[in-house]
Structures are given as C-alpha cells and as structure tokens.
Amino acid sequence: MKKTSTRLADGRELIYYDLRDDTVRDAVDRRPLERTVTTSEVRRDPLLGDEVAIASHRQGRIYHPPANECPLCPSEGDRLSEIPDTSYDVAVFENRFPSLAGDSGRCEVVCFTSDHNSSFADLTEEQARLVLEAWTDRTSELSHLPSVEQVFCFENRGAEIGVTLGHPHGQIYAYPFTTPRTALMLRSVAAHKEATGGENLFDAILEKELAGERLVLATDHWVAFVPYAAHWPYEVHLYPRRRVPDLLALDEEARTEFPQVYLELLRRFDRIFGEGEPATPYISAWHQAPFGTLEEFESVNRDDFALHLELFTIRRTSGKLKFLAGSESGMSVFINDIQPESAAQRLREVASS
C-alpha cells in the first residue's frame, strides 16, 4: 500500500491509498474554493447525559446530484470533483460539511472505489483489504489528535438509510467523547467482570453464539452471528476470534481473512429478499475502544473491549421498512419484527454457492 497526503483548494486534507507503490499522485485541485467555515459544536444534554452535535451548516450540503455531477467521482476535463486525480483506488478526505470539526472532532469521507456504479460488495478481496488498511491508518492518525477520544468507521448504503450521494463511500467520525453506545457496553462489561470474578462479557457472548442457532458463519479468524436481542430485522455482528480493542491490534491472519468474510456477508445481505429486489439498504459500523481514559468504568480497561462490526438493514421484508417510531424514538425500546433465529437461518440459506 502507498499513502499520499495532499491538500484540496480550500485547505482540507486528501489522502490517496494505492495498491501500487509506484503510483504518483500530484494532481492539483483546480476549483475556486474558499476555505471551509463550519458552525459545529457539541452540547451535552443535562437530563440524558449524552452529547448532541449542532451543525447547522450541513443544511447546504450536496443532495442527490446527477451521476455526472457526483463529487466523489474522479475529476475529468472540466468536471472537477473532490478528487482532483482522474482515477484512484481508495481516497479519504475531510468532509466539506462535517458534523464535527475543530475542537469538536473531525469527519472524513472514505471513497471505496472510483467506480460510481459499484458497491462495496463488488470490490475484489484486494480492494477490500485496501479499505481495511485505510480504516486502520485513519484510526491511528485520528487517535493522536488532542480533541479525539473515539474513532468510528462506518458506511451508510441506500437512499432509505438517508444517503445523499450514490457513489460507494463511507465515513469516519472522530468524536471528542466516548459515545453513549460504547459507554453502555463498557458498563455492562464492568458489571459482568465484577459479578463473575473476572470473566470478559464479549468472550462469553462469542462462546455462546459459536455453539448456538444464530451463527451465520465462522472461519479460522472471524465469527458472524445474529445477536440474541437483535434490534434490527436483519442484523449481524462480526467479531475476530482473538479479542482486540481496535483495528490497529488485528493480526495479519485476521486482516488477510477479513475481505473474504466481509464481502460474503455483504453479498448475502443483497440476496436476503430474493432475486429482482433492489440492493439492500444497510448500515455497517465498526465498534472500537475509546482512546481516552476509562476511569469512569472502574475495573475496565481498553483491552477488555472487543472490536466488532455491526451490519444491519432497516428493510424488514420486500417493499417494507422498519421505522423508528414511538417506542424506539421516544423511549429507545426497540421492537423487532423478525425473530433473530429466523434471520440467522435466512442468512445461512443465501450463502454463496
């Protein structure tokens, strides 16, 4: 992998990740852009104790442009985009309309391929491995920023999810705090550790799912299963067999095997609802341990956390979506229309031949 860092016309960072070491990246951003000005701030809810990012400047972001005006495609002739070069393997750049910026963190866009009509599931294993290396590198770099406490790599796919750009891409949020979801996990891990005399909750869950009916697939280095209390109609959690706190700690064997496993899961998601159905909308989310202090969680340290990926869709059946209505949005109590065991069985049935 070759990494090349440069700057866009408005000063934002752009990083190319290339498969070939002899690739030269010297294209200049020719757009007449003024320096990006954001109004992002983080406010803490005194009742719930969580943080909310206020980012009113995002109202002006690009919304469903035609394919020939996609800002994530390579630049070509007079059609100038966020990527100045005429091609790329993987490209990462600072979001022009970030939810978090400055002392409030940082947001980046990860372009998985220059092919506008592709998807992550269409990547080769070599390309998927390069994306993994980009996620890992950005996690490392962002973790050293003084304002960053947690790094979150994710992908939203599909208009149903709220995606406004159809090009295959994901995002990275570098938060200046530990997110509420992670804090809940850490508290559960701490309570379980105390109640069992030291047992790790993530390890216990993985051991149980390996022997159960919600297992989707298992390889030498990865395990995928539908969780016991799945929140979403089709939801899969992917864990490395060896517990590590973040992407940086994955060993070479797990890195090598990841593309095969992850691409298989994505392709199964596209087959859940049968032939002829539109591509399955999904969210794919990496959960990594925070880089800040974990003093508030008492007996827990970073090594107690287990890196894992959560992949889920809001489509519950053909032509029908799962909406977060009163119970979910008002009380954070999810109601799942699909039995997790049935979801796991379906995901096993649609395995590649």
Side-chain angles (χ1 to χ4, degrees):
M1 179 192 79
K2 181 180 180 182
K3 175 184 175 183
T4 305
S5 179
T6 184
R7 293 282 171 180
L8 295 172
D10 56 5
R12 289 176 293 130
E13 186 177 16
L14 165 67
I15 309 111
Y16 294 100
Y17 294 90
D18 287 294
L19 292 168
R20 293 174 55 96
D21 290 336
D22 60 353
T23 304
V24 176
R25 297 296 184 188
D26 55 8
V28 176
D29 185 3
R30 295 180 284 126
R31 296 173 298 171
L33 296 180
E34 296 182 358
R35 185 166 290 275
T36 300
V37 177
T38 66
T39 58
S40 177
E41 64 172 309
V42 173
R43 298 183 180 181
R44 186 173 180 82
D45 187 316
L47 282 177
L48 298 179
D50 58 5
E51 288 81 4
V52 177
I54 309 296
S56 57
H57 62 276
R58 285 173 54 79
Q59 288 281 30
R61 67 187 186 274
I62 299 170
Y63 187 80
H64 292 298
N68 62 354
E69 296 178 15
C70 175
L72 308 185
C73 287
S75 293
E76 185 175 356
D78 293 330
R79 187 185 62 75
L80 306 178
S81 73
E82 293 278 56
I83 317 294
D85 218 327
T86 56
S87 67
Y88 62 85
D89 292 335
V90 173
V92 179
F93 59 87
E94 289 183 75
N95 198 321
R96 190 177 177 188
F97 302 95
S99 301
L100 306 165
D103 293 339
S104 296
R106 175 159 157 154
C107 293
E108 298 182 342
V109 177
V110 183
C111 300
F112 302 140
T113 171
S114 59
D115 184 355
H116 180 86
N117 297 313
S118 182
S119 70
F120 201 119
D122 295 324
L123 300 181
T124 65
E125 290 185 17
E126 184 181 37
Q127 290 173 309
R129 170 65 186 260
L130 185 61
V131 176
L132 175 63
E133 296 307 321
W135 284 332
T136 304
D137 180 70
R138 297 315 302 153
T139 296
S140 175
E141 293 292 328
L142 293 170
S143 71
H144 290 98
L145 296 180
S147 63
V148 172
E149 188 166 314
Q150 186 173 4
V151 179
F152 176 45
C153 307
F154 66 100
E155 179 192 2
N156 300 326
R157 187 180 81 162
E160 300 95 329
I161 296 292
V163 175
T164 57
L165 297 176
H167 195 103
H169 73 288
Q171 299 181 66
I172 301 176
Y173 277 19
Y175 297 103
F177 50 81
T178 297
T179 61
R181 185 78 178 273
T182 303
L184 283 173
M185 292 183 195
L186 289 169
R187 292 189 186 102
S188 295
V189 169
H192 185 84
K193 189 174 184 179
E194 182 178 352
T196 60
E199 182 182 61
N200 183 274
L201 179 57
F202 288 110
D203 293 349
I205 290 173
L206 192 58
E207 181 180 359
K208 182 177 181 180
E209 296 296 351
L210 269 167
E213 58 184 321
R214 291 179 296 276
L215 188 67
V216 174
L217 65 86
T219 64
D220 290 343
H221 302 284
W222 294 90
V223 178
F225 59 90
V226 176
Y228 171 73
H231 289 58
W232 300 95
Y234 289 92
E235 175 181 342
V236 173
H237 292 190
L238 177 63
Y239 280 70
R241 283 184 182 265
R242 184 177 70 87
R243 172 165 43 91
V244 294
D246 53 40
L247 290 167
L248 303 173
L250 281 176
D251 58 29
E252 182 59 28
E253 290 81 4
R255 291 182 182 281
T256 299
E257 197 178 68
F258 171 77
Q260 175 188 348
V261 175
Y262 186 48
L263 290 172
E264 172 63 19
L265 287 176
L266 292 181
R267 290 162 186 167
R268 290 191 194 189
F269 259 58
D270 275 340
R271 291 193 292 268
I272 293 173
F273 303 103
E275 297 294 331
E277 286 291 320
T280 301
Y282 66 73
I283 292 175
S284 177
W286 280 110
H287 291 265
Q288 305 191 79
F291 288 95
T293 177
L294 299 182
E295 292 178 358
E296 65 177 292
F297 304 107
E298 299 176 355
S299 60
V300 172
N301 56 52
R302 290 193 81 247
D303 290 335
D304 289 316
F305 193 86
L307 168 76
H308 61 284
L309 182 144
E310 296 184 8
L311 174 66
F312 59 89
T313 179
I314 63 171
R315 185 179 291 164
R316 54 190 175 89
T317 189
S318 180
K320 297 179 181 179
L321 301 179
K322 167 65 179 177
F323 293 102
L324 300 190
S327 185
E328 292 88 355
S329 295
M331 285 295 172
S332 294
V333 177
F334 276 69
I335 300 169
N336 192 350
D337 302 303
I338 306 293
Q339 187 181 45
E341 291 75 17
S342 298
Q345 179 178 352
R346 179 59 181 158
L347 286 162
R348 291 193 298 268
E349 290 173 349
V350 296
S352 297
S353 57

